[in-house]
Amino acid sequence: MARVVVEVMLKSEILDPQGEAVANALPRLGVKGVNSVRIGKRIELDFDDSTVDIESKAGRIADELLANPVIENFTLKVEDEDSGA
Amino acid sequence: MARVVVEVMLKSEILDPQGEAVANALPRLGVKGVNSVRIGKRIELDFDDSTVDIESKAGRIADELLANPVIENFTLKVEDEDSGA
C-alpha cells in the first residue's frame, strides 16, 4: 500500500487566527521564544498497490477537494509502506 | 529561525468522519484506487534562533495545547531555516 501525504498550509500573506490563538496561549504555558504559529492540514491518502500514477491522482484530489487555491498552498510527499518516510 | 513541525493525527482505531467524507467524494471526481483518507493537523512553530531546547518546548506545546492525547498521536520534526527539511 503506497501513501501520499498532502500538506495544506495557508499562504504566508493570509492571516492565521487559529495560529495566533495558540501563540497567545503560550505565555500562560510558560513557553517563551516562539515567533509564530501556523496551523494547516495533513492528509494521508492510502492507495492500492496496483494503482499507478498516484502522485498525479493525489495532486488532483488536493487541487479539487483538499485545498482552496485562493488562500492555501499544498505539497505532496509519496511515502512507501516499508520506508514510512 | 528554527522551525519545529508538529503533525497531529487521529489514532488508527478512531473513526475519521472527515476523511470518510473525502473518500466518498472521490468517485464523483473520477479518481479510483484510494483505500483510505485520514485527515489531521500540521502546525509550524517558528522559534527565535536564540531559543534552546526547542524540541522539548514544542513537545510540551503539542502535549498541552495541540493534541488530545486520548484520541490523537503527534510527531515532531525539527527543520532548520536553510535546509527546510
Side-chain angles (χ1 to χ4, degrees):
Chain A
M1 183 260 315
R3 170 175 290 172
V4 179
V5 176
V6 181
E7 294 175 349
V8 180
M9 296 301 288
L10 286 170
K11 291 182 176 178
S12 52
E13 65 272 21
I14 304 289
L15 195 67
D16 179 0
Q18 274 193 319
E20 285 194 15
V22 170
N24 294 338
L26 295 182
R28 256 178 294 136
L29 209 62
V31 176
K32 293 191 182 58
V34 178
N35 282 345
S36 77
V37 179
R38 305 276 297 174
I39 298 182
K41 292 175 280 200
R42 181 180 188 272
I43 302 106
E44 294 175 351
L45 301 173
D46 289 349
F47 287 85
D48 286 339
D49 279 333
S50 58
T51 312
V52 291
D53 220 5
I54 61 172
E55 195 159 357
S56 73
K57 280 191 170 121
R60 236 187 108 208
I61 295 169
D63 209 32
E64 297 186 32
L65 276 180
L66 303 176
N68 174 347
V70 174
I71 59 168
E72 292 172 325
N73 292 319
F74 67 82
T75 58
L76 303 175
K77 278 186 204 152
V78 180
E79 284 181 4
D80 289 333
E81 168 96 27
D82 24 28
S83 77
Chain B
M1 187 258 318
R3 169 175 293 174
V4 179
V5 176
V6 181
E7 292 176 347
V8 180
M9 296 299 290
L10 287 170
K11 291 182 176 177
S12 51
E13 65 273 19
I14 304 289
L15 195 67
D16 178 0
Q18 274 192 319
E20 284 194 17
V22 170
N24 294 337
L26 296 182
R28 257 177 294 135
L29 210 61
V31 176
K32 294 187 180 61
V34 177
N35 280 347
S36 77
V37 179
R38 304 279 294 176
I39 298 181
K41 291 174 281 199
R42 181 179 188 273
I43 302 106
E44 295 175 349
L45 300 173
D46 288 350
F47 288 85
D48 286 338
D49 278 335
S50 58
T51 311
V52 291
D53 219 5
I54 63 173
E55 194 159 355
S56 75
K57 281 192 167 117
R60 232 186 109 208
I61 295 169
D63 209 32
E64 296 185 33
L65 277 180
L66 303 176
N68 174 347
V70 175
I71 59 168
E72 292 171 326
N73 294 318
F74 68 82
T75 58
L76 303 174
K77 278 185 206 156
V78 180
E79 285 182 4
D80 289 331
E81 168 93 27
D82 25 37
S83 79

